[in-house]
Amino acid sequence: MWDLLVRRARLATMTPGPPWGEVPGLGGCFTAGDDRPGALAVAGGRIAWLGPDAALPAGAAARLELDAEGRLLTPGLVDAHTHLVHAGSRSAEWGERLAGASYEEVAARGGGILATVRATRAAGLEGLLEQARPRLAALLGDGVTTVEVKSGYGLDLETELTMLRAARRLGADLPVTVRTSFLGAHAVPQEFAGRRSAYLDFMIERVLPAAVAEGLADAVDAYCEPHAFSPAEVARLFDAAARHGLPVKLHAEQRSDQGGAALVASRRGLSADHLEHLSPAGVAALAAAGTVAVLLPGAFLHLRETRRPPVAALRAAGVPMAVATDLNPGTSPLGSLTAAMNLACTLFGLSPAEALAGATRHGARALGLLDRGELAAGQRADLALWSLDHPADLAGRIALPSLATRVVAGAVHHAPTR
Ligand code: DI6
Ligand code: FE
């Protein structure tokens, strides 16, 4: 007796398997075909069986049955890069940027990240939770079942920990897996102005160990740009991460080529994120290390960038490409992963199938998670059932509600708009 059985579904498995045919024009996306709907069974929070509906074992039964009526069933979506815990708004600075100021100019006069730091320090745990909940609700309503959340708007001991505690609390209170990244090396705060090395010492010797001691960090991230941290500074932080046994990832090559991708690849990092200015050597380094390229088209759009990440080179080198929202108040105020998938296609040239793989399988790998992101026996039963028929429809629309039901570790949550 299974816990849940979904019947008559169009399964986008994201992985090959014996009964599945590749959807024409959608490499990497497999279904049982229009005329042969699929079925998927869940037991103990995991996928127990899947196959063509007609091949269901005789006498198959479940405590709960869902009739998908031919609609699309995908793995639950994975948003592998967000800053969704933060306080305040930066729309005034966006106005300045629209009028011609650059991102770096705004940051140099104490705006940018430091403006969000002031608001975040003042908010407190409850204030942060109150502001983060609707952002997370937007992602969940769009099919997300796993989300990464970074610190990096505290930049002092207490607020960095408070941000990470808020992220953990969201994961405990809501039906979603939250993975945290420690981003103490996001900016040098005002009180350390002119003392960069002392700030890094403080992060490495005090704040990171405190986060680790409380079990608050799943990975270590940094922002590698001339106006943020140099590769040598990031390397010091990565050494500290290794001493704590934590995997690393990096904001790399967003505004300039610093060799950040090669650096994070040399540490067998989980992901290099942004990559608009990635060089051929950086592509080769990611490919050799198996490090995931996380594409963030929301930031490209909101910053009105013109230089695209080298998607054709990444594809040719076999680098897995994830797609994420980068949900943050300064450069990517984007609360929909399916919209990010659309932008990855329209702005960066991904195919709809690559975008779907980027928000499922490869998003999970960018977080070091091998137990989700595919429909296969043994995977976690994190699923999204859509009021759509074709896998390409998911990336093919912008901000049109299309989630019918989310399943998290086997538990069913119907969308209010169903
Ligand atoms: N992610 C980041 O952390 C930076 N840019 C990006 O895409 C800065 C975000 C911010 O300005 O708050
Ligand atoms: Fe970011």
Side-chain angles (χ1 to χ4, degrees), residues 156-157 161 182 184-185 192 195-213 220 233 236-241 243-244:
D156 62 17
L157 175 66
L161 298 183
F182 175 77
F192 278 94
R195 297 188 295 135
R196 312 179 54 81
S197 176
Y199 177 67
L200 269 181
D201 292 344
F202 172 62
M203 281 295 133
I204 289 169
E205 288 160 21
R206 293 284 310 283
V207 187
L208 178 58
V212 170
V220 170
E233 290 170 333
R236 279 188 59 200
L237 187 80
F238 282 2
D239 290 342
R243 290 195 291 277
H244 291 291

Side-chain angles (χ1 to χ4, degrees), residues 86-264:
H86 65 262
S89 153
R90 303 243 296 273
S91 28
E93 112 182 13
W94 183 54
E96 289 176 46
R97 292 215 313 270
L98 288 175
S102 76
Y103 179 79
E104 287 79 1
E105 280 160 12
V106 173
R109 62 174 101 107
I113 292 170
L114 294 185
T116 302
V117 168
R118 289 189 288 276
T120 300
R121 286 179 177 180
L125 178 66
E126 290 307 323
L128 286 177
L129 285 167
E130 197 177 302
Q131 296 193 44
R133 275 197 194 100
R135 298 179 194 124
L136 181 53
L139 294 178
L140 303 195
D142 199 35
V144 168
T145 51
T146 298
V147 64
E148 185 253 20
V149 177
K150 301 175 194 297
S151 70
Y153 291 122
L155 312 184
D156 62 17
L157 175 66
E158 201 43 47
T159 318
E160 283 292 297
L161 298 183
T162 302
M163 287 186 73
L164 294 169
R165 288 177 193 133
R168 286 279 190 249
R169 176 89 80 82
L170 292 168
D173 289 354
L174 295 165
V176 60
T177 299
V178 172
R179 302 290 289 185
T180 56
S181 298
F182 175 77
L183 181 56
H186 199 195
V188 177
Q190 221 92 63
E191 64 273 19
F192 278 94
R195 297 188 295 135
R196 312 179 54 81
S197 176
Y199 177 67
L200 269 181
D201 292 344
F202 172 62
M203 281 295 133
I204 289 169
E205 288 160 21
R206 293 284 310 283
V207 187
L208 178 58
V212 170
E214 227 182 288
L216 292 174
D218 298 320
V220 170
D221 192 357
Y223 188 26
C224 187
E225 289 291 339
H227 62 276
F229 293 90
S230 71
E233 290 170 333
V234 172
R236 279 188 59 200
L237 187 80
F238 282 2
D239 290 342
R243 290 195 291 277
H244 291 291
L246 288 177
V248 295
K249 45 182 49 242
L250 190 63
H251 286 72
E253 272 77 278
Q254 180 186 14
R255 306 274 294 165
S256 59
D257 181 11
Q258 300 292 306
L263 170 60
V264 71

